Amino acid sequence: MSGLQDPPTDEFSDKRLHISGAGTIGMAVLLVSLTILFAASIIAYLLIRSRASVWPPPGFPRIPSTLWLSTIVILACSLTIHMALRAIQRGSERGLALMLWITFALGLLFLAMQTLNWIEFYDSIGPEMQLRGQYLGMFYVLTGLHAAHVIGGLIPLGVVSTLASRGKYSANYHPGVRYAAAYWHFLDIVWVILFCVLYF
Amino acid sequence: MMNLWTLAQTDTFFLPPQASNLSHDVDWAWNVVLGVTGFFFVLVVVVMLLFVLKYRRRTPNDATPEITHNTPLEIIWTVVPVVILICFFFIGFKGYLNYDTPPTNAVVVDVTGQKWRFSFQYPNGGTSDILYVQKDVPVVLNLHSTDVLHALYIPAFRTQRNLIPFRTTNIWFIPEELSPKDGFPLFCTQYCGQDHSRMHSVVRVLDKKDYADAMAQVANPFKEKDGNTGKSRWIPYVELGHKLYEQKGCISCHTIDGTKGTGPTWKDLWKTDVQFAAPPGTAPLKASDSDANWEAYITESVLHPSAKIVQGFSDQMPSFESQFSPTAPKDEELRAIITYIKSIGNTHYTPPIPADSELYDADKHPDHHPEFTPEHVKAIEAAGGAAGNAASAPTTQNQ
Amino acid sequence: MTTIAPDLAGHGRPEALPGDNYLNHTRGFKSWAFTLDHKRIGVMYLVAVLVAFFVGGIFAMLVRTQLLVPEGALFVGSEHYKLYNQMFTLHGAIMIFLVLIPGIPSALGNFILPVMLGAKDVAFPRLNLFSFYLYVFGAIFAVTSIVLGAIDTGWTFYTPYSAQSETHVSLMVFGVFVLGFSSILTGLNFIVTIHKLRPPGMTWFRMPLFLWSTYATSIIQVLATPVLGITLLLLIMERVLKIGIFNSEYGGDPVLFQHFFWFYSHPAVYIMILPAMGVMSEVISTFSRKHIFGYRFIAMSSLGIAIIGFLVWGHHMFPNGQSTMLATIFSFLTMLVAVPSAIKVWNWLATMYKGSIWLQTPMCYALSFLFNFTIGGLTGVFLGTLSIDVHLHDTYFVVAHFHYVMFGGTLLGFMAGVHYWWPKITGRMYNETLGKIGCALVFIGFNTTFLPQFVMGSHGMPRRYATYLPVYQDYHVMSTIGAYIQFVGFALTAGYLIYSLFRGAKAPANPWGSATLEWACTSPPPHDNFKRPPHVGDPYDQSNLVWDDSLQGYVRDNRLAESYTTKTPIPRQAATGHQDPG
């Protein structure tokens, strides 16, 4: 925190900590990078799948249909965080905090459901096949990768929500909310694509 | 510097001798690229040194001209490399087309790579650990791997291709030069683990007669023809076992002098108590166990090496099943190896037939090897008693 | 003008060495461990990279010593070849992931980039510190893997061998995975810094070329590294869960691994070489006391390399028997990627034309770079030519080629950069004579090591061999002697650099007469780099810098400052007529 230790002497020094627009570009670059991460994993999955004559391989069940519920939950996340953004743009700090906390709760719910899905899927497979094979492996890798990013998103979302509850954001100043919204929309889109390639 | 000097005299400074149809285009491309890039390299270095000498600093405040760029010049030195490089690309592309489309009359040799040896199987079913080819006869090599990636590279033929597990790749060539006596080197170039650097062999390019002899030899590993006297003999199993020990690549992991290799030594292996690390609970094999048990154990270790792991060793060995099928006559090869292991064991081993017995004279007893089991002899007779070539008929069932 | 010029480098005669600089601004372990100052983070990276370089170098010495005799001089007998395999794997993995990739961007770049740009820090200082700790964390995993018994897969981790090897592959792979994140975050930070922290007047085309090349590098880091991440993650899963993606034992496809791996690792070659090219542009212009020639071509060629570099990964897989069509496309694109490098070489030569060439140590390294990189680049053309590649693939020719690019290029560029910015970073001058001797030893040693490898490679000596046929022995012996010479050269270099830290003469603000902004700060720079936004002019106009004997450095002459500030960065009129640089 060396920037904070010495009080800014002039306008130039002050700029060190608040660079307008830097966060937006940073977020955009981050999302592009993550897009490539997910794109590469989906391509790997599709290549594997395209080589198998039957998919799912004989003896394996289909992906659990409870994934539909997960999909609805994460879509709801996207909706609520959008509403949070709209709320603060209107200047409603209470609406912002409420919507952010709902999003946070939905995120947790999503993770819980994913865990149940994992367990259900694992149980539905004969013990001799558990933890073996491309089908299962790719399912766990892809959904696990996404879940890891959901966890990675919940932490900053919690920070933003707390700040919102304390009234740190206003209609003119709410960068954290914008970044959180962008990230959650991204997770949402990635999930929908993942769900499509895994389920169908 | 002896070798450098001899190399410089016998070969070109770069590149090994040209011994296949593919080598001409490659070497031509090499020469073109070497010439052109060499010219540009010399140009860059000469210009650089010239500038360093001519424009060296005289005073700390030398005035230098204000030259920032020159677009036409820069376009020229962008376009010229583009044109040259596209020419190179085309030369390389044309040479590369040679590697496709083998002629239809080619001899097909199946190549299996496994840690850490190559094995070559010929159309007559015989196998060998060095590659025999006939001069001016096109050859297709179908490449398989049983474990990890390998690559087969023959510098003198300018060809190289990877061996990929569960896939078949292939290369082809027409050998154009007879090889020296010890052959052209052949390497594995794709890193494949511990003994990667020992995974090399040779190619022998032979004339028609020598090639036919070599084929007869690989087709029947039990028999050997003396090149000078023209006499044939059956190889006694102890001797044959040692030969197979070297040829099949056992030698790369198992020693015969008692020192520790990747796998247990063969010295005194026969009838020495052995403890197993895996699978857990496997009963140890005792010296007191029967011959049949010991033979079954060795057979299993060759065909299914992962079934039992000896204490102090790890599960490294690939299966040699494709080398030793359970049906005749390759089980005879396996018997030869077991006989060889017995002969270097701590129990005294007497061969059933003395090595100098006239029974081994293949010219007098052309029907079958004197140490073949009666069952196998019966099988040969049932198959029409293919005299003198007992190994040729039933060998292909595993490929 | 007189109101602006003094802010740059003082009143024609800067005040004595600064009392307050980034090194003594705060004290104590915590002031370093939790610093957000990009300069301190840069220094910490530099130390880490140099330590890794030492370790990787030791492994290289072991590898070369082993190859003195055909049956192996150190690790004799089959059961010891594994040790050799571990040595070359560690040499490769450490040099690539811990030295070459972070060497210039993370170490030198972190220190120099913001100052050169005229900023106070990078855009996200906390993220920057986080990247550094990710690097340390990744390195710890790698070291743990080494301590536990190292890995023997080769730095490329090719499956199925890497999925089956009984060595500690997962740990090392996880380490590299973490290093990848460090690399992505550094790239992200630099991109945003360059976009948002340029001070007034620092237009895109007034940025020094080092910044352009770092920018191009950062783009590759951000776009390519995630693919490495997922590849390594899948490899770990493959080892732990046997899911059968890359491991043919379980129905996976080893070639798929190669595609994914090289999709990152070929662009990674450009992550390594581009920043070195940036250093070259700075050093050659400065030590020729002349404007860089063809600024825009050099800047755009960096971007060109970054873009085409993504499309050539397939040339690592020519011997897999991929379709002729694919091989053809990859060969064609591989040829094209050579063009931007060629442009740069011509432009550097043209920069030297009619210059005032000052053979200080950084320039000596730059000239070695030019020599070696030209060999490295041109031998790459052999390998891009399809039919020749079939013969040369995975031989010592390839080994020599990429050492000429990675060592002769990146590492000598790094050495040039270290010597060039050493006075700025440490505030001390090193011994020039020893510097030149060190450079000469490295140059001679390097070429003795790797020129014979081209010859033996063309004769078919395969790479990664613990033993070899006796016919290749002479080349190997020469090669090993060369490696020892290099070792002496680097030991000498380490010696005089460390000595300079304690006994070196105090460095002036601008010892070389460079016009880029970092030299407008004191040496070492103050904690905040600049008190006010610096005035930005043409970064390659050194004409108004004059030598001051009492300072042993250059100062800006105010009488010449007028023309300096009014000059446009790239004059519209091409100075044609009197230039035909070769």
Side-chain angles (χ1 to χ4, degrees):
Chain A
M1 299 304 294
S2 56
L4 291 180
Q5 279 160 5
D6 28 81
T9 50
D10 57 0
E11 193 196 344
F12 184 55
S13 301
D14 210 5
K15 269 186 160 177
R16 187 169 183 165
L17 288 175
H18 301 291
I19 307 142
S20 71
T24 311
I25 298 184
M27 197 68 206
V29 175
L30 180 70
L31 291 185
V32 168
S33 194
L34 290 181
T35 304
I36 294 191
L37 178 74
F38 281 104
S41 11
I42 291 172
I43 288 170
Y45 168 78
L46 291 178
L47 285 173
I48 301 273
R49 184 170 168 169
S50 67
R51 281 166 202 191
S53 47
V54 200
W55 196 265
F60 285 95
R62 278 179 64 94
I63 304 288
S65 48
T66 42
L67 281 187
W68 280 106
L69 289 176
S70 305
T71 310
I72 292 167
V73 171
I74 200 157
L75 283 174
C77 269
S78 218
L79 182 71
T80 52
I81 200 148
H82 182 67
M83 287 165 72
L85 190 59
R86 294 292 297 271
I88 192 64
Q89 280 166 354
R90 284 196 316 269
S92 161
E93 290 178 34
R94 283 195 53 193
L96 170 74
L98 180 70
M99 281 302 155
L100 283 177
W101 283 118
I102 292 177
T103 312
F104 190 82
L106 285 173
L108 285 178
L109 180 64
F110 175 79
L111 284 178
M113 293 178 62
Q114 288 297 83
T115 315
L116 290 178
N117 280 330
W118 273 36
I119 295 170
E120 186 197 314
F121 192 46
Y122 185 79
D123 285 344
S124 66
I125 290 159
E128 72 283 358
M129 293 189 199
Q130 276 167 0
L131 291 179
R132 282 282 181 279
Q134 307 165 338
Y135 177 65
L136 218 61
M138 281 316 281
F139 173 78
Y140 285 124
V141 168
L142 287 179
T143 52
L145 193 65
H146 184 261
H149 284 85
V150 173
I151 296 171
L154 277 176
I155 298 164
L157 182 67
V159 174
V160 170
S161 307
T162 312
L163 290 177
S165 301
R166 291 184 192 161
K168 299 277 182 193
Y169 295 121
S170 65
N172 295 325
Y173 178 79
H174 50 272
V177 184
R178 278 192 287 118
Y179 306 148
Y183 187 79
W184 280 94
H185 290 321
F186 170 78
L187 282 184
D188 199 4
I189 294 166
V190 167
W191 175 256
V192 170
I193 296 169
L194 271 185
F195 177 67
C196 289
V197 297
L198 286 170
Y199 193 80
F200 296 106
Chain B
M1 296 290 114
M2 264 299 286
N3 284 330
L4 272 184
W5 179 237
T6 35
L7 267 180
Q9 284 181 315
T10 54
D11 302 326
T12 49
F13 182 70
F14 290 112
L15 300 174
Q18 300 184 343
S20 82
N21 62 318
L22 302 169
S23 49
H24 310 295
D25 278 2
V26 172
D27 290 13
W28 186 75
W30 167 283
N31 288 332
V32 171
V33 176
L34 183 66
V36 177
T37 57
F39 168 77
F40 279 102
F41 171 66
V42 171
L43 183 71
V44 167
V45 172
V46 166
V47 168
M48 179 176 96
L49 292 178
L50 216 68
F51 284 179
V52 169
L53 289 178
K54 188 154 179 228
Y55 304 121
R56 68 182 177 277
R57 172 164 124 142
R58 320 275 160 166
T59 72
N61 296 327
D62 283 346
T64 55
E66 169 89 15
I67 308 168
T68 58
H69 66 300
N70 181 341
T71 309
L73 190 63
E74 289 176 80
I75 289 175
I76 288 172
W77 70 43
T78 306
V79 171
V80 169
V82 168
V83 172
I84 293 175
L85 287 166
I86 288 178
C87 294
F88 286 173
F89 157 74
F90 187 71
I91 292 170
F93 168 70
K94 244 187 108 235
Y96 193 68
L97 289 181
N98 294 342
Y99 290 84
D100 283 348
T101 56
T104 45
N105 61 343
V107 175
V108 180
V109 178
D110 270 311
V111 183
T112 307
Q114 65 185 84
K115 294 177 190 166
W116 291 278
R117 59 184 295 268
F118 291 107
S119 127
F120 303 95
Q121 185 174 43
Y122 302 90
N124 67 11
T127 60
S128 68
D129 60 341
I130 66 175
L131 175 60
Y132 296 105
V133 292
Q134 187 180 339
K135 183 170 175 287
D136 298 326
V137 173
V139 181
V140 173
L141 301 182
N142 282 333
L143 310 170
H144 323 271
S145 165
T146 58
D147 40 40
V148 297
L149 294 173
H150 301 284
L152 183 139
Y153 172 40
I154 307 170
F157 294 172
R158 311 283 189 278
T159 188
Q160 170 169 199
R161 187 137 288 182
N162 285 356
L163 282 66
I164 304 169
F166 299 98
R167 274 198 202 183
T168 301
T169 49
N170 63 70
I171 50 178
W172 79 278
F173 47 81
I174 307 173
E176 289 183 341
E177 297 290 331
L178 292 179
S179 61
K181 186 130 183 60
D182 42 1
F184 295 120
L186 176 158
F187 298 106
C188 172
T189 39
Q190 186 65 268
Y191 175 67
C192 54
Q194 180 174 288
D195 281 359
H196 169 55
S197 61
R198 297 242 300 245
M199 187 162 168
H200 58 83
S201 178
V202 294
V203 194
R204 295 192 60 192
V205 186
L206 306 169
D207 60 25
K208 196 168 179 190
K209 184 184 154 296
D210 288 348
Y211 183 73
D213 283 352
M215 284 302 104
Q217 169 67 36
V218 298
N220 191 343
F222 301 95
K223 196 153 75 170
E224 184 176 72
K225 189 172 178 185
D226 190 317
N228 296 324
T229 62
K231 283 186 171 171
S232 310
R233 66 164 191 139
W234 298 104
I235 308 170
Y237 269 17
V238 172
E239 195 185 327
L240 180 64
H242 180 74
K243 222 170 140 180
L244 294 174
Y245 162 77
E246 290 177 345
Q247 272 180 14
K248 306 246 177 230
C250 319
I251 189 170
S252 53
C253 298
H254 301 278
T255 67
I256 50 171
D257 58 5
T259 53
K260 192 181 170 186
T262 311
T265 180
W266 282 7
K267 173 102 182 107
D268 298 343
L269 184 148
W270 182 256
K271 299 261 175 129
T272 302
D273 288 2
V274 56
Q275 304 279 340
F276 298 105
T282 312
L285 198 60
K286 298 273 188 216
S288 53
D289 281 315
S290 69
D291 276 19
N293 279 0
W294 277 92
E295 278 174 18
Y297 162 63
I298 294 174
T299 308
E300 180 189 62
S301 302
V302 175
L303 303 182
H304 310 288
S306 302
K308 293 192 181 84
I309 307 299
V310 177
Q311 194 89 53
F313 295 90
S314 57
D315 185 5
Q316 289 253 0
M317 181 170 159
S319 168
F320 278 63
E321 179 137 28
S322 59
Q323 312 292 335
F324 300 99
S325 87
T327 47
K330 295 221 169 168
D331 60 343
E332 292 296 334
E333 286 185 308
L334 200 46
R335 282 187 57 232
I337 286 180
I338 293 172
T339 310
Y340 172 63
I341 293 177
K342 281 182 194 168
S343 77
I344 55 172
N346 53 6
T347 51
H348 182 66
Y349 174 77
T350 330
I353 307 166
D356 52 0
S357 161
E358 57 97 33
L359 283 173
Y360 288 115
D361 188 332
D363 296 321
K364 284 188 192 156
H365 304 275
D367 291 344
H368 58 80
H369 194 288
E371 289 177 69
F372 278 173
T373 56
E375 296 81 20
H376 183 46
V377 174
K378 250 182 236 158
I380 296 172
E381 281 160 3
N389 210 4
S392 65
T395 39
T396 45
Q397 74 276 6
N398 257 291
Q399 292 294 329
Chain C
M1 288 308 112
T2 43
T3 55
I4 290 167
D7 294 327
L8 275 170
H11 311 268
R13 171 181 290 259
E15 61 268 41
L17 284 170
D20 179 60
N21 60 49
Y22 80 99
L23 289 168
N24 61 17
H25 184 71
T26 48
R27 287 185 187 283
F29 174 75
K30 276 193 347 200
S31 79
W32 280 84
F34 299 109
T35 185
L36 296 182
D37 185 349
H38 69 96
K39 296 183 288 300
R40 286 190 170 189
I41 295 173
V43 169
M44 292 195 291
Y45 264 119
L46 189 60
V47 172
V49 165
L50 290 174
V51 169
F53 178 61
F54 175 74
V55 177
I58 294 294
F59 286 126
M61 290 302 130
L62 291 171
V63 165
R64 281 311 330 162
T65 306
Q66 159 81 356
L67 296 173
L68 268 173
V69 287
E71 58 276 14
L74 291 178
F75 316 112
V76 189
S78 172
E79 71 272 25
H80 295 128
Y81 295 159
K82 192 167 168 185
L83 275 170
Y84 172 81
N85 297 340
Q86 289 170 333
M87 294 305 122
F88 77 67
T89 301
L90 293 177
H91 168 66
I94 289 177
M95 286 301 193
I96 299 234
F97 295 114
L98 292 175
V99 179
L100 293 172
I101 288 180
I104 301 182
S106 296
L108 294 179
N110 242 315
F111 192 101
I112 295 303
L113 180 136
V115 202
M116 209 180 216
L117 195 64
K120 287 185 174 271
D121 210 314
V122 292
F124 307 116
R126 288 188 202 86
L127 189 67
N128 200 16
L129 184 67
F130 181 62
S131 303
F132 174 70
Y133 279 110
L134 278 181
Y135 172 85
V136 173
F137 191 58
I140 287 173
F141 270 96
V143 170
T144 314
S145 150
I146 297 172
V147 170
L148 289 178
I151 64 166
D152 68 339
T153 61
W155 78 273
T156 47
F157 310 121
Y158 266 19
T159 56
Y161 187 75
S162 61
Q164 298 165 2
S165 169
E166 293 181 353
T167 53
H168 297 270
V169 178
S170 297
L171 267 177
M172 176 65 94
V173 167
F174 187 71
V176 174
F177 179 75
V178 174
L179 289 172
F181 277 98
S182 165
S183 183
I184 293 177
L185 295 179
T186 303
L188 186 152
N189 220 334
F190 285 179
I191 290 177
V192 179
T193 306
I194 289 177
H195 270 277
K196 296 307 293 186
L197 290 192
R198 280 173 289 126
M202 179 63 90
T203 58
W204 282 93
F205 286 105
R206 273 186 186 175
M207 288 201 315
L209 289 163
F210 180 69
L211 299 183
W212 269 106
S213 67
T214 315
Y215 184 71
T217 308
S218 301
I219 290 176
I220 310 177
Q221 283 179 311
V222 165
L223 295 185
T225 319
V227 180
L228 177 74
I230 190 67
T231 312
L232 297 181
L233 195 67
L234 287 174
L235 178 56
I236 294 173
M237 292 294 159
E238 187 73 270
R239 283 183 64 86
V240 177
L241 300 177
K242 319 262 184 256
I243 53 180
I245 293 168
F246 300 139
N247 187 354
S248 42
E249 243 182 310
Y250 302 98
D253 180 5
V255 178
L256 186 65
F257 177 85
Q258 294 173 26
H259 277 288
F260 270 74
F261 182 80
W262 288 114
F263 184 84
Y264 164 76
S265 291
H266 197 81
V269 171
Y270 301 110
I271 294 181
M272 300 179 230
I273 192 68
L274 272 172
M277 292 170 158
V279 174
M280 283 293 289
S281 300
E282 303 304 325
V283 169
I284 288 195
S285 166
T286 299
F287 289 90
S288 301
R289 199 176 159 73
K290 194 158 155 289
H291 196 286
I292 190 82
F293 184 90
Y295 176 95
R296 278 173 195 250
F297 266 70
I298 297 184
M300 288 305 124
S301 66
S302 289
L303 293 183
I305 288 177
I307 294 163
I308 309 175
F310 272 102
L311 307 174
V312 301
W313 79 90
H315 66 218
H316 294 269
M317 285 166 280
F318 286 154
N320 272 346
Q322 60 189 352
S323 75
T324 308
M325 166 88 149
L326 266 183
T328 307
I329 293 169
F330 281 126
S331 167
F332 186 77
L333 291 166
T334 302
M335 290 296 179
L336 287 189
V337 82
V339 175
S341 305
I343 295 175
K344 284 176 193 268
V345 169
W346 297 127
N347 281 1
W348 291 327
L349 281 179
T351 304
M352 289 162 65
Y353 172 71
K354 289 199 171 175
S356 159
I357 296 170
W358 191 17
L359 285 178
Q360 295 296 77
T361 311
M363 188 60 170
C364 294
Y365 274 110
L367 296 178
S368 318
F369 175 110
L370 211 51
F371 181 94
N372 292 324
F373 179 73
T374 305
I375 296 182
L378 292 175
T379 50
V381 172
F382 286 77
L383 298 168
T385 307
L386 273 172
S387 60
I388 309 180
D389 182 77
V390 176
H391 176 56
L392 296 176
H393 205 94
D394 277 339
T395 66
Y396 262 70
F397 192 93
V398 176
V399 176
H401 158 69
F402 70 70
H403 277 93
Y404 266 92
V405 178
M406 296 289 89
F407 187 114
T410 305
L411 205 87
L412 291 186
F414 176 70
M415 293 303 287
V418 166
H419 284 85
Y420 179 58
W421 284 305
W422 188 260
K424 185 55 65 186
I425 295 173
T426 65
R428 304 281 183 167
M429 301 300 289
Y430 50 83
N431 184 317
E432 268 303 330
T433 316
L434 290 177
K436 285 172 203 164
I437 294 172
C439 176
L441 282 174
V442 169
F443 177 79
I444 293 166
F446 174 74
N447 281 289
T448 317
T449 310
F450 292 105
L451 276 179
Q453 296 190 1
F454 282 123
V455 186
M456 70 171 136
S458 83
H459 278 284
M461 169 74 207
R463 66 190 285 203
R464 295 178 166 175
Y465 264 29
T467 57
Y468 53 89
L469 299 185
V471 69
Y472 301 115
Q473 188 178 7
D474 289 342
Y475 304 111
H476 276 297
V477 170
M478 268 174 79
S479 196
T480 304
I481 292 171
Y484 293 159
I485 298 175
Q486 285 180 67
F487 188 80
V488 174
F490 279 115
L492 176 73
T493 308
Y496 70 74
L497 285 182
I498 292 172
Y499 180 83
S500 80
L501 288 179
F502 302 102
R503 294 286 158 78
K506 287 212 167 17
N510 193 352
W512 318 122
S514 169
T516 48
L517 288 177
E518 78 272 27
W519 304 104
C521 295
T522 49
S523 298
H527 173 69
D528 269 338
N529 299 353
F530 303 95
K531 288 277 178 260
R532 291 189 191 81
H535 187 83
V536 183
D538 185 336
Y540 295 108
D541 180 10
Q542 301 100 344
S543 58
N544 53 357
L545 293 162
V546 290
W547 179 259
D548 184 325
D549 228 17
S550 64
L551 289 173
Q552 287 296 301
Y554 282 85
V555 288
R556 198 170 288 288
D557 188 327
N558 287 332
R559 283 163 301 169
L560 299 165
E562 185 81 30
S563 64
Y564 167 76
T565 48
T566 50
K567 259 178 206 160
T568 49
I570 309 293
R572 292 284 172 268
Q573 75 286 4
T576 45
H578 58 292
Q579 47 181 308
D580 184 19

